[in-house]
Amino acid sequence: MSLSDKFANAARARDELSAAPVNPTNVVIERVLSATEAIIAGRPTIMAGSNNYLGLTFDPDCIEAGRAALVESGTGTTGSRMANGTYREHLELEEELAAFFGTPHAMVFSTGYAANLGALAALLEPGDAALLDSEAHASLYDGCRLSGADVYRFKHNDPDGLANRMRRLGDRARDALIVVEGLYSIRGDCAPLAEFAEVKAEYGGYLFVDEAHSLGIYGDHGRGLAEHMKVEDAVDFIVGTFSKSLGSIGGFCASRHEELTLFRYASRPYIFTASPCPSVVATTREALRQIQNRPELRERVWANANRLYPALEKLQLNVGPHTSPVIG
């Protein structure tokens, strides 16, 4: 197959997007004005799709934490933790994440994508069964594919569909990995985690929840949808990203299972990826403190969502199934 044949689908996608009024692949942010505004095509533009839920990208304390870390530790680590060593701040962030989630263990990755890839590649191997929500993020599918596990999709947010899949697995269900998100970023709907936990209790398996979009927003302490639905004890692995509510970049996995500490020996995305730079770690740690100490940030998000959602419905726009900070 020639190169042109291999990229035929990509070329078609490019042509379709180019015919649209705005091609999202060509949007250039010329200058950032604030957490919610930027100059695009020469005009001030509201950045409604930035995922900057709590607006912490311009928080003065987060900026100062990053600036101090740059001065003290430089611009980057220039290598992986396996090759170049772990900075003290990496361990401190992991300890703070574990304490935040009430788990004994947490592990930091360089991006949210790498967190999903790395955690799933460590947890699964050929012959294992992974059950994925049909609308799960691409990184969750990619992580399962990287592992070589057998992947079984079930209908989006459908506990009965999951139960049917688990039933067909027979004895394999005991060790299966159930992979879902908390808040989905396309429709803005939430996983029925309590019902999924019931399926797990009946058939076995491990529950893996990506709280990327629900971290900082759901739960009395901002831990995510599992906290909000009071099913944290049923969740075996929580993953997420720093690039949404925490306004930074990076990812993590938190768990009560001691095996998480062995990921650093079994996860290729962790072993071979440069570790998060000091300034990113510093801003993330400060943002995590903000989530815990400033509940008004979470309250403001919900006030905005509760105001915007019915207003869009009144305009007869097609919005998601229920009010949430993501309006699809």
Side-chain angles (χ1 to χ4, degrees):
M1 182 182 293
S2 69
L3 276 176
S4 60
D5 290 335
K6 288 180 180 179
F7 285 90
N9 288 335
R12 280 192 289 271
R14 176 203 59 200
D15 295 341
E16 290 174 5
L17 288 171
S18 296
V22 177
N23 182 344
T25 66
N26 290 337
V27 173
V28 177
I29 297 173
E30 297 155 16
R31 184 159 61 94
V32 179
L33 301 177
S34 70
T36 56
E37 290 182 283
I39 299 296
I40 298 175
R43 298 184 303 171
T45 304
I46 295 173
M47 300 201 297
S50 69
N51 299 323
N52 192 7
Y53 297 124
L54 304 182
L56 291 178
T57 52
F58 274 77
D59 178 83
D61 291 333
C62 291
I63 291 173
E64 182 52 39
R67 180 183 290 121
L70 277 170
V71 173
E72 181 178 332
S73 302
T75 58
T77 62
T78 70
S80 70
R81 289 168 69 174
M82 182 68 77
N84 289 30
T86 289
Y87 283 42
R88 182 190 72 247
E89 290 81 4
H90 291 142
L91 296 177
E92 290 172 345
L93 175 55
E94 288 174 339
E95 290 168 0
E96 289 160 7
L97 283 165
F100 176 65
F101 283 103
T103 61
H105 312 291
M107 185 173 178
V108 169
F109 293 83
S110 299
T111 67
Y113 182 91
N116 281 337
L117 223 62
L120 290 167
L123 285 168
L124 297 165
E125 60 184 26
D128 288 340
L131 295 96
L132 271 76
D133 186 286
S134 61
E135 295 190 9
H137 191 267
S139 60
L140 297 171
Y141 276 91
D142 290 349
C144 291
R145 291 192 190 103
L146 178 65
S147 73
D150 298 324
V151 178
Y152 303 94
R153 295 173 60 181
F154 61 90
K155 186 179 177 181
H156 178 55
N157 279 352
D158 184 358
D160 291 335
L162 173 62
N164 289 336
R165 286 290 194 185
M166 294 287 278
R167 193 178 304 114
R168 292 187 198 124
L169 284 174
D171 291 341
R172 295 178 71 196
R174 287 198 303 268
D175 299 314
L177 188 67
I178 303 164
V179 182
V180 300
E181 295 185 48
L183 173 64
Y184 283 84
S185 61
I186 301 301
R187 301 193 194 194
D189 54 347
C190 294
L193 291 184
E195 289 86 346
F196 286 156
E198 291 174 1
V199 174
K200 175 196 160 186
E202 181 174 357
Y203 294 98
Y206 300 91
L207 184 55
F208 182 106
V209 180
D210 184 347
E211 297 271 26
H213 290 272
S214 37
L215 173 65
I217 296 174
Y218 285 89
D220 292 339
H221 302 91
R223 291 197 294 266
L225 193 68
E227 181 191 20
H228 177 70
M229 294 189 170
K230 305 187 187 310
V231 294
E232 289 177 292
D233 289 345
V235 178
D236 296 280
F237 297 94
I238 296 172
V239 292
T241 180
F242 304 148
S243 62
K244 309 299 189 270
S245 289
L246 294 171
S248 183
I249 187 171
F252 69 90
C253 181
S255 176
R256 66 178 180 276
H257 295 286
E258 189 175 0
E259 285 76 9
L260 176 58
T261 63
L262 299 176
F263 281 18
R264 61 192 78 246
Y265 304 100
S267 173
R268 291 174 66 85
Y270 171 88
I271 294 169
F272 295 105
T273 302
S275 60
C277 65
S279 59
V280 164
V281 173
T283 60
T284 302
R285 293 177 66 192
E286 177 57 33
L288 189 62
R289 284 190 283 271
Q290 299 268 359
I291 284 178
Q292 296 173 83
N293 297 329
R294 297 178 62 194
E296 67 270 17
L297 294 173
R298 194 159 54 253
E299 293 165 3
R300 183 177 63 190
V301 170
W302 283 104
N304 289 340
N306 288 326
R307 179 183 179 189
L308 180 60
Y309 192 93
L312 294 177
E313 279 191 314
K314 190 174 181 180
L315 293 173
Q316 298 184 328
L317 295 175
N318 185 19
V319 294
H322 56 255
T323 305
S324 83
V326 176
I327 298 179

